[in-house]
Amino acid sequence: MAQRRDTGNAVLNERVRTLQVCNAVLPYPMPGEALMVLGTDDMIRISFDVLNEDRDYLRYEVIHCNADWQPSQLAYMEYLDGFNEGTIDDYDFSQGTTVHYVHYTLTLPNEQTRLTRSGNYLVRIYPENDPDETWAQCRFVVSEQSASVTASMTSRTDIDVNRAHQQLSLEVDASHADVDDIFNEIKVTVTQNGRSDNAVTLTKPLRVSGKTLIYEHLQPLIFKAGNEYRRFENLSTNYPGQNVERIEWHGPYYHAVLEPDSSRAGESYHYDETISGSFVVREYNSSESDVEADYNVVHFTLVHPETPGFDFYIDSDVTQRRFSPESRMVYNRATGAYEHAMLLKQGAYSYQYLAVAPGSQTGRTDIIEGDKYETRNRYRIHVYARRHNERADRLVAVRDLIPQ
C-alpha cells in the first residue's frame, strides 16, 4: 500500500509565520478550508510572512486532491488552464515593527494559473533555488455547487438529550450533479469548526429517494459538543487587550502574558461570539496591519493538575490545527500549570485546548473545555461525486451550518 502523503495545512520553515487562506471576497477568515465557487468571480487569497530583512524568491505549486486529500491521478492540464507552478511576486516589507518581516500574498486564479475543475486543492510554497524544500502548504476547495444540501442540527441525539452531543441530519439533492449511480458515486465529509482530527466521511446514505440521499440517525454524525472557543486580543504594545494580563519588553520581543486559563468542564455554558479557531491580524492604530502589526511572544497558561495519559494542545488556525511541538502545552511543576509560548502577529485570536491520548489522532474537548450542548459550532458539509469512468473526485456542493 502506498504511503499516505501529509497534505494538511503546515508551516515547515520556522521563519514562515501567520499563514492564512481565505476567500478574498469575505471580510474575515472563516474556519475550514477557504471556498471558491467554480465559474464565479471568487478568488482565493493566501498570505504569510517570512521573518527576514530581504525578500526571498518564492514559488508555488497547485495540486489537485481527492476527497481524502490525497493527490489525484489528474495531470495538471486536466484541472487548470495555464501552469500549476508560478512565482509569488506580491510582497511588501514590514513598517515600524521591532520584528522585521516580508509579507507575501498569492491570489488564485491569476495570470499564471486558472482553475477549471472542482475539487480539493493543495498549494505548496517553496524557495526558487530549492524546489524540493517545502516552506509551507495549505488547502482550499473549489465547488461546482451543482448539488444542494439541506442540513439540521439537534442536541436531542441518539446518545443523550441536551447534554454533551450534537447530531446532524443531511439531505443531498444530486439531481444536477452529473452522477449515474446515486447510491455509490456520492461521498460526504463533515467537519466541525475547521478541525480535521474529528472529521467524518460518509460513503453511503441511510436511504435514497429518487436523486436525494438522506443521512439521518447515523452514529458518525454525532459530534461531541465542545464549548465556545476562548479568545484574546493583542492589538497594542502600549496596553493589554482583552484577556491579556500584561505586556512586557524583554528584547528583542514584546511579550504578551495572557490571563491564566483553567478547566471549564464543570462550569455551566456561557455564550460568547467567537470565530471558532480563526484569527484576524490587526494593530489598533494602523490602516495597514498586514505590514504594520508587530510580532509578540504570547504566553499561554493553563492552570490544571498534571494529567498523565494526555497531552494538551492549542487548537487554532494559527497552529494549523496540528498536534505538534508548536502547539503542545508543557507542564511546569514549579508553577503547577501547563505553559506554552508562541511568536504571534498582533491581532484577535480564538483557540481551545484539546486533550490527546498517546497514539491517538483525535482531540478530546471534555477534559478541559467541557461538552456543552448549547455550543454554537460551525459545521461544514462537503459533497463529492465520482462516476465510474472518472479518475478524480469532483466537489459538487459545500454547505455551512451554523446553529442559531
Side-chain angles (χ1 to χ4, degrees):
M1 180 180 295
Q3 184 175 0
R4 288 180 60 85
R5 175 173 174 176
D6 182 352
T7 60
N9 293 326
V11 171
L12 303 171
N13 184 301
E14 63 181 8
R15 291 195 293 122
V16 176
R17 301 281 168 167
T18 318
L19 177 65
Q20 283 189 302
V21 187
C22 63
N23 185 307
V25 177
L26 298 177
Y28 297 109
M30 299 291 287
E33 288 81 25
L35 165 66
M36 185 178 90
V37 178
L38 199 64
T40 70
D41 294 330
D42 282 351
M43 302 183 77
I44 297 296
R45 183 174 63 243
I46 301 168
S47 63
F48 58 95
D49 297 334
V50 177
L51 305 185
N52 202 4
E53 298 277 355
D54 300 315
R55 173 198 179 186
D56 290 280
Y57 290 87
L58 301 177
R59 295 180 62 84
Y60 68 90
E61 177 186 14
V62 179
I63 303 165
H64 186 273
C65 296
N66 286 317
D68 63 355
W69 285 102
Q70 291 302 291
S72 70
Q73 298 178 4
L74 299 179
Y76 77 85
M77 299 85 74
E78 298 178 86
Y79 58 83
L80 55 83
D81 178 17
F83 302 96
N84 71 326
E85 295 184 345
T87 57
I88 304 177
D89 298 319
D90 186 351
Y91 65 94
D92 200 359
F93 296 94
S94 59
Q95 302 172 23
T97 57
T98 60
V99 177
H100 295 170
Y101 59 88
V102 183
H103 180 72
Y104 296 85
T105 303
L106 170 63
T107 303
L108 295 170
N110 56 41
E111 292 182 355
Q112 303 172 97
T113 305
R114 292 172 295 280
L115 305 169
T116 60
R117 184 185 175 97
S118 68
N120 294 347
Y121 283 87
L122 181 72
V123 173
R124 186 177 74 91
I125 297 165
Y126 61 92
E128 187 175 77
N129 61 359
D130 190 355
D132 294 329
E133 182 183 358
T134 302
W135 279 19
Q137 62 187 31
C138 52
R139 296 173 169 183
F140 68 91
V141 296
V142 177
S143 178
E144 301 172 9
Q145 298 299 77
S146 56
S148 61
V149 180
T150 303
S152 62
M153 187 279 293
T154 181
S155 57
R156 301 176 64 85
T157 76
D158 294 340
I159 293 179
D160 54 26
V161 175
N162 293 343
R163 291 187 61 191
H165 295 83
Q166 295 174 345
Q167 184 163 349
L168 274 62
S169 297
L170 315 174
E171 290 190 8
V172 177
D173 182 354
S175 301
H176 304 289
D178 196 15
V179 292
D180 301 321
D181 182 350
I182 190 71
F183 195 82
N184 294 305
E185 294 178 354
I186 296 288
K187 183 182 298 183
V188 175
T189 67
V190 182
T191 58
Q192 181 193 58
N193 300 323
R195 291 172 56 185
S196 59
D197 64 298
N198 65 343
V200 301
T201 299
L202 305 171
T203 57
K204 294 290 188 292
L206 179 69
R207 65 180 187 277
V208 170
S209 176
K211 287 283 188 176
T212 299
L213 301 97
I214 300 169
Y215 304 83
E216 59 185 11
H217 296 292
L218 296 177
Q219 181 73 22
L221 289 180
I222 303 176
F223 289 81
K224 290 287 187 70
N227 206 340
E228 306 293 350
Y229 277 64
R230 304 170 191 258
R231 56 180 173 145
F232 71 91
E233 292 185 353
N234 180 32
L235 311 182
S236 171
T237 55
N238 295 321
Y239 65 88
Q242 182 183 47
N243 291 328
V244 177
E245 185 177 83
R246 63 187 185 275
I247 302 288
E248 300 175 345
W249 169 255
H250 303 290
Y253 302 114
Y254 282 99
H255 291 248
V257 180
L258 302 186
E259 297 281 356
D261 291 320
S262 59
S263 173
R264 301 184 293 173
E267 298 178 359
S268 58
Y269 171 79
H270 296 285
Y271 171 79
D272 193 12
E273 188 74 31
T274 74
I275 48 179
S276 303
S278 297
F279 65 94
V280 178
V281 170
R282 186 185 167 204
E283 203 282 334
Y284 86 105
N285 200 31
S286 171
S287 60
E288 296 290 340
S289 292
D290 283 342
V291 292
E292 294 180 357
D294 212 338
Y295 275 86
N296 303 162
V297 178
V298 177
H299 296 261
F300 295 80
T301 302
L302 173 62
V303 180
H304 192 272
E306 187 172 12
T307 310
F310 288 99
D311 287 321
F312 297 138
Y313 293 89
I314 299 170
D315 172 56
S316 171
D317 281 351
V318 78
T319 62
Q320 290 81 50
R321 310 285 184 150
R322 285 180 171 264
F323 303 140
S324 67
E326 289 72 31
S327 63
R328 180 174 174 266
M329 304 291 287
V330 176
Y331 189 72
N332 183 341
R333 288 185 172 84
T335 61
Y338 286 86
E339 300 171 349
H340 186 60
M342 288 190 286
L343 187 65
L344 300 181
K345 202 171 186 178
Q346 289 177 293
Y349 290 81
S350 60
Y351 66 100
Q352 67 176 351
Y353 295 108
L354 295 180
V356 181
S360 175
Q361 298 299 316
T362 303
R364 290 176 52 174
T365 49
D366 58 320
I367 294 178
I368 300 298
E369 305 298 352
D371 289 314
K372 318 297 182 182
Y373 75 89
E374 304 98 328
T375 303
R376 296 178 72 255
N377 291 303
R378 297 170 182 262
Y379 292 97
R380 170 166 281 190
I381 300 104
H382 296 81
V383 182
Y384 299 90
R386 187 198 292 201
R387 291 180 297 180
H388 72 281
N389 61 342
E390 291 182 314
R391 294 166 32 245
D393 295 326
R394 293 178 290 117
L395 180 57
V396 296
V398 176
R399 166 72 193 280
D400 289 322
L401 175 62
I402 306 175
Q404 301 300 316

